[in-house]
Amino acid sequence: MQALNPELIEQIEEYIQELYTPADPVLIANLADAAAAGLPAIQVSANQGRLIYLLAKIARARRVLEIGTLAGYSTTWLARALPPDGMLITLEGDARHAEVARRNLDRAGLPVRVEIRVGRAAGLLRELIRARTDAFDLIFIDADKASYAEYLDCSIELSHSGTLILADNVIRHGAVLEDRPADANDRGAKAYNEVIARHPRLESLVVPIIRDRIDGMAISMVR
Ligand code: SAH
Ligand code: DHB
Ligand code: MG
């Protein structure tokens, strides 16, 4: 047995990626365009993209809500998991990010319609609730971490029994292990983990995710 070391962890991540997430021209173009437009490369990893895609399929999701679009990389993975009568709404606060995402999604050849709504996520979520939008089957939370608890409350209001609620970046390279992290995003992620652990409407777990450093994704199912 080899001891854990950063090189070995990275090799294992690449081994999994080579087997299950082979290079794909649409996703390569998505990342290239995001980089060319100067967007930060903070999208989910390829393997995590594959994970949310599989979770959407396992949940037989038809209606998906994403909070935090960036250039539409995770959006592409999620949309590919949907049947032709499915739909996806994704919320983005930065108009420039939304513009890059629109271009990327339009040429991705996706099986479903993707609607990008531009604005602060909390306000857009309240609008969806007020409009009595049909419940979503899967909700992926991935915008500002300080607001995660608020996004969770709104997500539960937009869910039905069995809805999957996923949240990215909840381990923050271990920052959530601190009693009171200095950074507001780290505190938001830590608070989220504690809320979903004891929430009466949820069954939850956090799975570690290897990116440039170790992060994690929360998986919750609404009772
Ligand atoms: N889900 C994407 C990554 C999203 S990065 C992927 O994996 O491919 C986080 C995004 O959330 C950024 O584009 C940022 O502009 C957006 N964001 C941050 N705070 C926000 C807010 N309050 N309302 C809406 N979007 C926000
Ligand atoms: C970062 C990563 C993310 O996946 C995200 O949604 C926001 C920020 C980061 O690494 O800073
Ligand atoms: Mg993220």
Side-chain angles (χ1 to χ4, degrees):
M1 256 301 267
Q2 285 192 67
L4 280 182
N5 63 62
E7 292 76 31
L8 177 61
I9 291 173
E10 199 169 308
Q11 281 166 20
I12 291 169
E13 181 71 2
E14 277 166 18
Y15 168 79
I16 298 169
Q17 188 173 325
E18 272 173 32
L19 276 175
Y20 303 105
T21 61
D24 165 331
V26 167
L27 293 171
I28 291 169
N30 178 298
L31 296 176
D33 259 39
L39 270 49
I42 55 173
Q43 69 285 338
V44 295
S45 69
N47 289 344
Q48 192 183 356
R50 180 76 176 169
L51 175 59
I52 61 176
Y53 164 90
L54 276 173
L55 287 170
K57 287 216 151 177
I58 292 164
R60 294 190 160 78
R62 280 183 52 247
R63 297 174 52 80
V64 169
L65 173 64
E66 178 179 65
I67 306 170
T69 316
L70 191 63
Y73 181 83
S74 54
T75 321
T76 301
W77 277 106
L78 288 168
R80 285 175 166 180
L82 302 182
D85 67 339
M87 62 91 85
L88 191 157
I89 297 177
T90 183
L91 313 181
E92 175 54 54
D94 186 319
R96 216 167 44 88
H97 294 186
E99 210 177 288
V100 176
R102 183 72 273 162
R103 220 177 330 120
N104 274 331
L105 295 166
D106 282 346
R107 59 149 198 240
L110 299 174
V112 298
R113 184 169 60 87
V114 173
E115 189 184 329
I116 305 175
R117 297 197 181 180
V118 182
R120 289 186 57 82
L124 295 172
L125 288 165
R126 303 271 169 224
E127 268 175 38
L128 285 167
I129 294 166
R130 232 180 302 124
R132 297 180 181 281
T133 310
D134 284 347
F136 293 92
D137 308 308
L138 185 152
I139 301 175
F140 179 45
I141 303 175
D142 194 18
D144 55 310
K145 320 306 164 199
S147 305
Y148 268 26
E150 184 179 7
Y151 297 155
L152 178 67
D153 288 341
C154 293
S155 295
I156 291 173
E157 289 198 55
L158 292 165
S159 68
H160 56 71
S161 172
T163 292
L164 275 190
I165 301 178
L166 312 177
D168 192 28
N169 312 111
V170 296
I171 292 299
R172 311 280 302 169
H173 327 303
V176 296
L177 303 182
E178 290 162 30
D179 280 338
R180 192 175 190 282
D183 179 82
N185 286 310
D186 296 342
R187 282 200 300 280
K190 184 180 175 78
Y192 184 89
N193 295 338
E194 288 167 6
V195 170
I196 62 168
R198 51 184 155 70
H199 199 294
R201 299 273 320 273
L202 302 174
E203 293 196 275
S204 303
L205 185 69
V206 169
V207 291
I209 297 283
I210 299 165
R211 295 160 50 124
D212 48 332
R213 288 178 287 172
I214 294 217
D215 212 319
M217 187 171 71
I219 304 176
S220 301
M221 192 172 97
V222 178
R223 289 185 197 276

